[in-house]
Amino acid sequence: MRTQVAIIGGGPAGLLLSQLLHVAGIDSVVLERQSRDYVEARIRAGVLEQVTVDLLEQAGAGARMRRDGLPHGGFALASDGETFRIDMQGLTGKSVMVYGQTELTKDLNDLLAQRDQPVFEARDVALHDVATDSPYVTYIKDGQTVRLDCDFVAGCDGYHGPSRKSIPADAGQVFERVYPFGWLGILADVPPCDHELIYSNHERGFALASMRSATRSRYYVQVALDEKLEDWPDERVWDELAIRLGPSVAPHITRGPSIEKSIAPLRSFVFEPMRHGRLFLAGDAAHIVPPTGAKGLNLAASDVHYLFDAITTFYRSGSQAGLEGYSASALARVWKAERFSWWFTSLMHRFPDTDAFGRKMQIAELDYLRHSKAGAAAVAENYVGLPF
Ligand code: RFL
Ligand code: PHB
């Protein structure tokens, strides 16, 4: 088989890239290890930046998001139960869209299905000769080994996929920070406690009130890394949320049975460069952010923006300039989102070594953001997403 762009991974990055290329008349094949049901059931991100919304529109995948997504012009920060609002719309003129990653994935999969893509349950995907002008990918489908020749390989296979691992160790550098806690997330079919998100710094640890729709809520609490899900029956999660979100929010929390519950560790990670020969990394394959800034999915989309531009420029004009510059352009935006996510995580969580002084610093900084328009504007500008 032959295609122009072999895309490894059918998460948001791979699906969006494939659909944008299709609209531009460029052929691609998406290889996804899991089944469609599995991919669409993974509960992850919920907040889209305007640039991500625009890219989905450009890909022709915006109709349901436009109808069902919830535009948010602000969010609340809470410090030991006292909340104040960051007015994103007023401070930046921009807003974000609350629309689940599951829904975005379904919308893109529906479009790709029209051309029999992605190839689901593609096993043992391996990359070959990516440092040459004739790269290819092999995989096993229904017991048969398939060879897929291509011009370019897009590594969109997430943190654990084979693409980044196929780059020789001496051809790249890893930058990493692992945080000493995780997030326990709960999804429930109950109305959200507020019309906007609430990020809370509490002495018992961080909590977040989020949502997927007017009838579906998503909440998180910071937990120690050795915590087990069995020790967190739903009632305990609701009790903890009520304490950490504070007395002004607690009465508005509607409890209900969880339809999903999981613990995710927090990590900052960047692999540089994001290109090796004809292999281009995009999304979680190249970088991870802690979820506090809601940037992971949005960075995947912004990488795709740069990569799509570079590939279309190459096929239209033969110019390699965009391909040569891809890693540097993408990384400039990645590092700013890494910084914001690291900073917001540091501000809002309880660290095992947070002493009385450290806690006072967090409270003073939150108090500063509450009363300083300049401080709040910097938070808002990063949260809505920096320009390309
Ligand atoms: P994905 O979504 O991990 O997709 C990679 C795909 O590659 C497949 N794959 C393989 N395919 C073939 N062969 C192999 N050997 C393969 N190995 C892996 C996988 O099955 C998968 O389908 O990466 P992508 O596309 O780069 O997208 C990144 C986002 O999914 C991720 O950054 C976000 O979910 C992060 N994130 C959030 N991001 C936001 O922008 N806003 C948020 O509000 C937000 N909240 C979150 C989050 C992530 C979370 N978790 C669970 C880590 C909340 C949580 C709790
Ligand atoms: C979510 O709704 O899953 C969500 C929202 C905001 C974040 C992280 C996760 O910062």
Side-chain angles (χ1 to χ4, degrees):
M1 280 215 306
R2 190 175 167 84
T3 187
Q4 289 173 293
V5 185
I7 300 175
I8 324 272
L15 297 173
L16 182 58
L17 178 63
S18 178
Q19 186 57 23
L20 286 167
L21 290 172
H22 174 71
V23 171
I26 297 167
D27 186 53
S28 67
V29 170
V30 181
L31 302 175
E32 167 57 49
R33 184 172 53 142
Q34 307 288 357
S35 68
R36 180 168 177 175
D37 285 348
Y38 182 96
V39 169
E40 291 183 359
R42 281 189 308 222
I43 307 296
R44 290 184 168 179
V47 178
L48 309 183
E49 296 174 356
Q50 187 60 49
V51 291
T52 305
V53 168
D54 293 345
L55 269 180
L56 286 163
E57 295 283 6
Q58 190 185 336
R64 209 160 61 96
M65 171 185 64
R66 222 177 300 131
R67 193 191 69 201
D68 295 345
L70 306 171
H72 280 205
F75 63 87
L77 290 177
S79 168
D80 280 343
E82 285 242 6
T83 66
F84 63 98
R85 184 169 185 265
I86 300 287
D87 177 9
M88 294 186 289
Q89 184 70 49
L91 291 161
T92 69
K94 293 185 198 160
S95 56
V96 295
M97 181 76 92
V98 170
Y99 190 65
Q101 181 167 333
T102 45
E103 306 313 305
L104 174 157
T105 305
K106 274 182 208 143
D107 296 344
L108 286 165
N109 271 334
D110 281 346
L111 289 171
L112 266 76
Q114 296 169 13
R115 51 192 161 92
D116 278 335
Q117 291 289 318
V119 177
F120 287 105
E121 299 181 42
R123 307 288 181 201
D124 294 349
V125 172
L127 297 78
H128 307 273
D129 295 351
V130 293
T132 73
D133 285 347
S134 27
Y136 65 99
V137 177
T138 53
Y139 61 97
I140 296 174
K141 175 68 185 172
D142 299 329
Q144 305 272 61
T145 299
V146 184
R147 172 176 166 145
L148 176 64
D149 289 281
C150 56
D151 297 331
F152 303 107
V153 180
C156 302
D157 44 359
Y159 180 68
H160 298 286
S163 296
R164 188 183 68 253
K165 291 173 191 154
S166 76
I167 301 176
D170 61 1
Q173 191 176 357
V174 166
F175 301 85
E176 188 168 33
R177 175 150 306 181
V178 177
Y179 299 88
F181 41 74
W183 279 19
L184 185 154
I186 185 172
L187 188 70
D189 276 327
V190 292
C193 61
D194 194 88
H195 67 293
E196 292 180 342
L197 272 61
I198 306 171
Y199 291 84
S200 177
N201 174 316
H202 191 275
E203 63 173 359
R204 291 168 68 96
F206 170 78
L208 168 61
S210 181
M211 68 194 73
R212 290 291 175 273
S213 70
T215 56
R216 181 167 285 188
S217 301
R218 179 72 165 157
Y219 289 93
Y220 298 94
V221 287
Q222 172 188 351
V223 294
L225 280 176
D226 55 4
E227 291 279 354
K228 302 268 173 290
L229 268 184
E230 309 84 271
D231 297 328
W232 286 88
D234 291 355
E235 275 316 302
R236 181 174 175 206
V237 181
W238 294 117
D239 287 346
E240 195 62 30
L241 283 163
I243 297 171
R244 295 190 193 180
L245 290 168
S248 64
V249 177
H252 305 288
I253 298 176
T254 308
R255 299 181 179 213
S258 63
I259 51 176
E260 196 266 357
K261 194 160 48 172
S262 54
I263 296 181
L266 268 65
R267 176 190 299 272
S268 298
F269 173 94
V270 180
F271 181 88
E272 285 192 2
M274 288 170 60
R275 172 198 183 182
H276 181 68
R278 289 192 164 227
L279 166 63
F280 296 85
L281 301 178
D284 280 16
H287 41 72
I288 298 286
V289 286
T292 324
K295 290 282 167 254
L297 171 59
N298 293 301
L299 279 184
S302 87
D303 291 350
V304 164
H305 160 84
Y306 291 115
L307 187 53
F308 169 71
D309 258 10
I311 292 173
T312 47
T313 302
F314 171 80
Y315 282 119
R316 277 187 197 134
S317 70
S319 165
Q320 304 246 9
L323 297 168
E324 303 281 354
Y326 166 69
S327 178
S329 316
L331 281 168
R333 197 164 188 276
V334 165
W335 275 116
K336 291 184 196 85
E338 288 282 347
R339 187 209 65 82
F340 176 67
S341 305
W342 159 81
W343 167 80
F344 200 23
T345 301
S346 309
L347 175 66
M348 300 306 291
H349 290 75
R350 185 181 171 89
F351 287 71
D353 58 356
T354 304
D355 58 7
F357 183 82
R359 175 104 192 104
K360 285 285 187 193
M361 290 298 102
Q362 288 184 333
I363 292 167
E365 185 157 6
L366 283 160
D367 196 43
Y368 164 70
L369 295 176
R370 178 179 199 156
H371 297 289
S372 161
K373 194 171 172 189
V379 177
E381 184 180 39
N382 282 280
Y383 195 91
V384 299
L386 297 174
F388 285 130

